[in-house]
Amino acid sequence: MGKNISFIVQSIIMLLYFIELIIAVRVSMNKDTQGIMKKFFFYPLVGVIVCLFIPMKNLGIVPVRISFTVNTVSLLFHYSFLTYFIFKLTNRSFRFKIIGLFFLIVLIGLIIADVKKGYVTSFAFANGCLFLFSLYYFRTLLIGKINVALKNSPIFYVCCGIFIGSGLIVPSTLMIKYMYLLKVSNDYIHLFAAFWGFGYFSMNLIFIKALLLCLKQNK
């Protein structure tokens, strides 16, 4: 049962990535689109590719080594792209850049150590960093370093998606790691993984909202 629920959640996330990619491509092709939102289609594109590899891995079509490589690249991209997104919004603080680079090096080290354990610790660390970076963005808003009309700001919605999605992913991922240590049945782990997937579901749903707002503004 848990595995079936997990499969349904993954299928919904895949559908969201496809919808997000279509809208993001339309946004990037619009000549009135400015800033980093013009390049945002890269994020759902990688998401679609990774989602297509999941059923192939489960069916044994893709070797385990290639699956590990895809997971590694996608996790590094997930962290790097969204960190770069927030970095571009916070006046390119040199201190923020150094911290982001340092955490990237730590993440690579964790992936190497975690590669045979399902990337659980690495996922938690990467999304924990993104959660903190999104808090940093909100802090710059509160102290007035960034002036935006929040209701009509696509980038604000993207940061909200990062904040909410990462905030859901981190505790659920750590709980899954704890369940592995307790040697809980895989069926229960798959069931709990649905909560982990809900983090990505929430994140991408808000990203779609931001992209639709871009289209509305560019009409």
Side-chain angles (χ1 to χ4, degrees):
M1 178 181 176
K3 195 170 184 179
N4 291 335
I5 294 175
S6 180
F7 174 76
I8 292 171
V9 172
Q10 289 178 354
S11 300
I12 294 173
I13 294 172
M14 182 187 296
L15 177 62
L16 281 180
Y17 271 124
F18 272 107
I19 295 172
E20 187 180 337
L21 177 60
I22 293 171
I23 301 173
V25 169
R26 288 186 60 190
V27 170
S28 68
M29 293 176 64
N30 195 307
K31 62 181 180 180
D32 295 324
T33 302
Q34 297 179 353
I36 196 170
M37 293 305 297
K38 201 170 185 68
K39 303 175 184 177
F40 198 80
F41 71 92
F42 282 111
Y43 185 79
L45 176 61
V46 172
V48 167
I49 293 171
V50 173
C51 286
L52 290 175
F53 264 90
I54 292 175
M56 290 191 290
K57 180 194 72 174
N58 294 336
L59 293 172
I61 300 174
V62 177
V64 174
R65 180 172 56 85
I66 295 178
S67 177
F68 280 149
T69 302
V70 171
N71 286 335
T72 300
V73 172
S74 67
L75 179 56
L76 289 173
F77 178 81
H78 170 73
Y79 168 83
S80 301
F81 183 86
L82 295 180
T83 297
Y84 174 75
F85 186 94
I86 299 173
F87 168 69
K88 292 287 286 185
L89 304 178
T90 51
N91 299 322
R92 305 184 182 185
S93 166
F94 180 75
R95 181 173 57 181
F96 182 85
K97 184 177 181 180
I98 294 299
I99 292 173
L101 182 59
F102 171 75
F103 284 156
L104 176 60
I105 295 171
V106 174
L107 176 60
I108 292 172
L110 283 175
I111 289 174
I112 294 172
D114 204 32
V115 68
K116 293 183 179 180
K117 301 177 183 179
Y119 298 96
V120 180
T121 304
S122 306
F123 268 109
F125 178 80
N127 285 284
C129 291
L130 290 171
F131 181 79
L132 293 176
F133 294 158
S134 63
L135 280 178
Y136 177 75
Y137 169 76
F138 294 135
R139 175 182 173 273
T140 59
L141 286 177
L142 290 174
I143 63 178
K145 287 189 175 181
I146 300 177
N147 295 314
V148 294
L150 300 184
K151 183 179 179 180
N152 299 314
S153 172
I155 57 177
F156 173 73
Y157 280 102
V158 171
C159 288
C160 286
I162 297 171
F163 175 78
I164 295 173
S166 297
L168 292 170
I169 291 169
V170 173
S172 57
T173 304
L174 292 176
M175 188 62 189
I176 290 172
K177 181 177 178 64
Y178 184 64
M179 293 171 74
Y180 272 122
L181 292 174
L182 293 178
K183 297 182 179 179
V184 176
S185 168
N186 283 337
D187 196 52
Y188 287 108
I189 292 176
H190 282 298
L191 183 61
F192 199 86
F195 293 98
W196 171 83
F198 187 69
Y200 278 101
F201 170 82
S202 303
M203 183 183 293
N204 287 287
L205 196 63
I206 300 174
F207 287 173
I208 290 173
K209 164 68 176 177
L211 290 165
L212 288 173
L213 192 56
C214 279
L215 288 180
K216 182 179 180 181
Q217 291 176 350
N218 292 335
K219 284 184 178 179

